[in-house]
Amino acid sequence: MAAFNSEQFLMLSNHHSRLTQLPPHSLSRKNPRQYSGILRGITGALLILLAVDVVAADSSRVDYEELREEAQFRTRRLVFNSDSGSSARVPPAPTLTPQAFLDRRLSPLAGTQVDTIVLDTTAGSFGSFGHRTKVAEMFTSREGRYRYNVLPDFLLQNTDPLQVTIEFCRRNNIEILWGIRMNDTHDASNSILIPAFKRDHPDYLFGTPEHPPKYGRWSSVDFAQPAVRELVYLTIAEVADDYDIDGVELDFWRHPAFFKRSANGGTLRQEDLDLMTELIRRVRAKLDEVGTRQGKNLLLTVKYPDSIGYCRTLGLDIKKWLAEDLIDVLVPGGYFQFNHWEESVALGKQYSVPVHACLAESRVSDPRGNKARNSTEALRARAAAAWASGVDSIEMFNHFDGRKPYWHELGSPEILRKLPKTYFISVQGVGSSRSYAPSDAFITLPGLTPDAPETVQSGQSTSYDIFIGDDLRGPTPLNARLRLQTSETGRSTEARLSWDGDEVAFKPDGPGDFVAGLNRHTIVPGHHRIGVENGGSSDIEIEDIMIEIILQP
């Protein structure tokens, strides 16, 4: 081990002095971060002392915790989450230059509200990637739909989609994070995507196509296996060392299955969760090591299902990660959502961690319902509700057209305030949540969508909570109306609709559609209650309910 010189010894002494002088009974919001930051400073100092030929003399004087907080809490309006699938593995043309790769998806983002790009290079399977790597497998296949895969050509040019994206971001002052899907299983239905790691170690998988697990997909890897966790760590460490990134996003949401024990219906033990926690600790330490060397903080963001209880059933001890100050940014949300954004915001505030609401594309299968949910008006409403709930940024997932006008809108509550929107009782529904673990105990939001209609029997009533981000009480060109969509084609004169307890008059607006004007002065940010009472002789099947914020005629 290298000997400590006087300057290095002084650095360690200063960190120790800061730690011992803090009052142990102090409980301010900053103090948990302060204690952890000092400990992190000691860790960083030790890494500096133990590293060989990698640390400049002035690196020891960098206050890493200040760099970390600056990186954590910088202004981020929109985060563009991009995988390298359609733009790299399955582009539409047989030849694709780096500039053409950028133009397909990323170039239009310059000058928009996008402050951060997350490029996820996972190639449809755990252990397979679309960037240069020596520790994992590069996806270079040109079979079938991958016949125009750009990686082989890019490798000949000594580049790859990640490097090209980094250079674009540096030119345009955009933060760049590398993303990794922690257990991608697109290969469960596409054998071309299965990497050698899985073929060589079938015992690491949850099952086989003939004998799938109870939860998750058969091609999921078991994080109880040390080799699985090691490959994840080595892949992340390699990217941190070799690429000029600003951080790493661990995507635990796509797809959320991690332990064979729970996939077979068993209950995970604390030691199972601790295996994943130890992996997160190693990743955090590696990012700190590289960041200390480079004189900047490398963010560690985590995308996850927005229920702490559900995550624990999957093997993710999110609260422990937060308590140990391992995570820089929380990114809740996905193709299903359990709680209002306020729940995630409260969790972030508890641990002084920013929260980025993930707005994934809607995958409601009903054509009309899906089109409405993926409309610009619906995205505006989702963003407005998230901002009103107190989130720190919006992360867009599977929204890839950089020419859409909403890239100039969704990152600004002030701009959104003036624009038409469409709010839904439920955008995503419960979706595939039950496919990965028993989820009913964790669902707090209504699940009404055209895919999951709900029946109000004769003589019965029901009500729904909806969160609105708009405030129409002041001068505004906007108004509001309630829309009810049912499977009935005729109007039931015995049905009654209410808004926050007050009955509203409605009228037909097409087959099965009914609209009711709302007093715009009742449209304020927060929770509202929509009631449906069936006083008729036949049942009413509700397919959808929405609040439309429209321009006044």
Side-chain angles (χ1 to χ4, degrees), residues 46-78:
L46 288 172
L47 288 169
I48 293 172
L49 298 175
L50 296 176
V52 179
D53 296 328
V54 294
V55 182
D58 61 347
S59 295
S60 61
R61 293 188 290 269
V62 173
D63 191 327
Y64 190 74
E65 182 60 16
E66 289 184 6
L67 290 175
R68 186 182 181 203
E69 288 199 8
E70 180 182 349
Q72 266 187 300
F73 294 99
R74 63 169 290 187
T75 298
R76 296 178 181 88
R77 295 165 295 176
L78 293 179

Side-chain angles (χ1 to χ4, degrees), residues 280-308:
I280 303 303
R281 290 192 190 109
R282 293 183 68 196
V283 171
R284 177 77 264 173
K286 179 62 182 179
L287 296 185
D288 286 347
E289 174 205 323
V290 176
T292 301
R293 184 194 318 155
Q294 297 178 350
K296 68 178 184 180
N297 176 74
L298 293 184
L299 286 173
L300 181 58
T301 74
V302 170
K303 188 148 74 79
Y304 67 104
D306 71 319
S307 164
I308 296 301

Side-chain angles (χ1 to χ4, degrees), residues 417 423 468-482 499-500 502 504 516-526 528 547-553:
R417 183 170 54 87
Y423 294 88
I468 301 295
D470 278 89
D471 189 341
L472 304 188
R473 290 173 294 184
T476 176
L478 302 173
N479 213 330
R481 65 187 180 193
L482 185 159
W499 173 252
D500 287 339
D502 295 327
V504 293
L518 299 177
N519 180 345
R520 68 178 179 86
H521 294 286
T522 66
I523 305 300
V524 298
H528 297 269
I547 298 298
E548 298 172 336
I549 307 299
I550 58 175
L551 291 170
Q552 296 191 55

Side-chain angles (χ1 to χ4, degrees), residues 156-215:
L156 294 175
Q157 301 173 53
N158 195 33
T159 191
D160 57 45
L162 177 56
Q163 182 60 38
V164 170
T165 302
I166 290 170
E167 293 168 1
F168 167 80
C169 289
R170 294 292 176 242
R171 291 195 300 270
N172 291 280
N173 194 31
I174 296 175
E175 184 179 51
I176 172 66
L177 308 184
W178 172 69
I180 175 174
R181 294 182 180 180
M182 298 298 282
N183 214 348
D184 196 328
T185 56
H186 282 88
D187 55 353
S189 57
N190 186 344
S191 61
I192 297 175
L193 296 173
I194 301 176
F197 182 82
K198 290 186 177 182
R199 296 186 188 278
D200 294 344
H201 303 285
D203 53 315
Y204 293 173
L205 307 183
F206 282 11
T208 66
E210 298 75 26
H211 298 94
K214 183 176 182 180
Y215 298 106

Side-chain angles (χ1 to χ4, degrees), residues 218-355:
W218 69 268
S219 66
S220 302
V221 293
D222 185 6
F223 274 72
Q225 298 288 340
V228 169
R229 302 193 304 277
E230 184 68 9
L231 181 55
V232 172
Y233 172 77
L234 291 176
T235 304
I236 295 171
E238 182 185 49
V239 170
D241 280 329
D242 293 352
Y243 290 87
D244 179 27
I245 57 173
D246 297 310
V248 172
E249 179 166 285
L250 307 182
D251 189 345
F252 285 100
W253 179 85
R254 192 102 167 110
H255 302 99
F258 307 102
F259 288 90
K260 187 184 293 187
R261 181 191 301 274
S262 58
N264 289 329
T267 301
L268 292 181
R269 306 160 300 185
Q270 183 60 46
E271 48 261 43
D272 296 318
L273 278 70
D274 290 344
L275 293 175
M276 190 70 83
T277 297
E278 181 56 32
L279 172 61
I280 303 303
R281 290 192 190 109
R282 293 183 68 196
V283 171
R284 177 77 264 173
K286 179 62 182 179
L287 296 185
D288 286 347
E289 174 205 323
V290 176
T292 301
R293 184 194 318 155
Q294 297 178 350
K296 68 178 184 180
N297 176 74
L298 293 184
L299 286 173
L300 181 58
T301 74
V302 170
K303 188 148 74 79
Y304 67 104
D306 71 319
S307 164
I308 296 301
Y310 184 78
C311 283
R312 283 189 62 86
T313 69
L314 300 172
L316 312 179
D317 204 345
I318 301 292
K319 277 201 168 183
K320 190 167 187 177
W321 304 353
L322 289 167
E324 293 188 16
D325 201 21
L326 302 176
I327 303 172
D328 289 314
V329 176
L330 290 171
V331 188
Y335 289 145
F336 51 84
Q337 188 174 344
F338 293 112
N339 299 290
H340 285 288
W341 295 121
E342 298 159 303
E343 186 82 8
S344 298
V345 169
L347 180 67
K349 287 184 177 179
Q350 180 182 353
Y351 293 97
S352 190
V353 172
V355 174

